[in-house]
Amino acid sequence: AEAAMEVYLQHGEVIFKDGRKMPENEFVCSVTGESLLDQDFVIHNGKPFSRKAYLDQFADHVDGSTLQPLYKGDNVVLAMGYKWKIENFRCAGTGKPLNFEQFMVKGGKPYSVEAYVEKFRVCPTCNETVALGDDSAIEWMGMIFHADHFQCAGTGCVLKQGDKVYAKDLGDGMGPRPYCEKAYAEQFCPVCPGCSEYVLPDEESVNACGSVWH
């Protein structure tokens, strides 16, 4: 297998670092048919595979990290459904060997518990980590918050599980922010000329005469 991670798209063709070309519509996983433009891939016998599909096809014969063949006598560990040479089973965050310690999985990659918490469980409000055992933590839009830090970006009020929460990305690179219904309506929603009430994005509406109407 040949790992070919660097490609770019030009005029409908996928161009590999070594100069090879492939039509964009053929640059799909041979197993799943999904596009490979935005994910790791492998070329095997001239056919492209997503990394996961390749591992699934040859799980008993290749190393889960390097994708290189395994040989009799190799010291391997079975984890995440694949075989890994012991020296190659490493934390995707730190690169350190996991050495049979407890680990977490994210995006198909293993992380030490410490690295996982530091990378994926950081509260955006306070920039402090959220403990794995914190059952009160709130997950929202791919982020995790301490319960008392899940606050409306407009008013600062604490939002609770079950509250109607609206997301707004202000385009400043900070990603979506949570808003309570009142703050979101006042800052971002048009007013219906017929009833003088805000028209929320999840309400039926009609655009007419330059206005938005219920």
Side-chain angles (χ1 to χ4, degrees), residues 6-179:
E6 296 185 31
V7 298
Y8 63 94
L9 187 64
Q10 185 178 65
H11 305 307
E13 285 189 316
V14 175
I15 302 178
F16 294 77
K17 187 177 181 180
D18 61 7
R20 287 178 295 169
K21 298 180 180 180
M22 178 181 293
E24 180 183 0
N25 61 356
E26 294 181 11
F27 190 54
V28 297
C29 176
S30 299
V31 176
T32 66
E34 61 186 327
S35 172
L36 297 174
L37 281 176
D38 297 316
Q39 59 177 305
D40 292 348
F41 65 91
V42 177
I43 302 296
H44 180 72
N45 290 337
K47 296 181 179 180
F49 293 79
S50 70
R51 180 183 178 86
K52 183 179 186 306
Y54 181 80
L55 278 171
D56 288 343
Q57 289 280 307
F58 303 102
D60 289 335
H61 308 290
V62 298
D63 177 81
S65 173
T66 65
L67 307 183
Q68 295 304 306
L70 293 171
Y71 298 100
K72 186 177 180 179
D74 286 338
N75 292 319
V76 300
V77 57
L78 181 63
M80 300 162 52
Y82 307 118
K83 293 179 179 179
W84 312 67
K85 287 186 178 181
I86 291 178
E87 63 269 24
N88 292 337
F89 189 55
R90 298 172 177 268
C91 170
T94 65
K96 296 179 180 179
L98 288 170
N99 294 327
F100 302 103
E101 66 186 88
Q102 184 181 0
F103 64 92
M104 307 292 291
V105 179
K106 182 75 170 183
K109 297 178 180 180
Y111 291 83
S112 68
V113 173
E114 181 181 3
Y116 179 89
V117 170
E118 290 179 353
K119 188 173 181 66
F120 302 112
R121 293 181 65 88
V122 177
C123 174
T125 303
C126 65
N127 288 322
E128 297 291 334
T129 56
V130 180
L132 283 173
D134 187 351
D135 295 331
S136 67
I138 295 177
E139 295 188 45
W140 180 80
M141 300 288 289
M143 296 174 280
I144 188 164
F145 296 78
H146 293 108
D148 56 347
H149 291 166
F150 188 47
Q151 301 167 343
C152 170
T155 66
C157 68
V158 175
L159 302 167
K160 299 180 177 61
Q161 291 279 15
D163 287 349
K164 181 175 281 190
V165 179
Y166 291 88
K168 182 66 175 180
D169 192 330
L170 302 180
D172 56 3
M174 300 297 291
R177 291 181 171 88
Y179 286 83

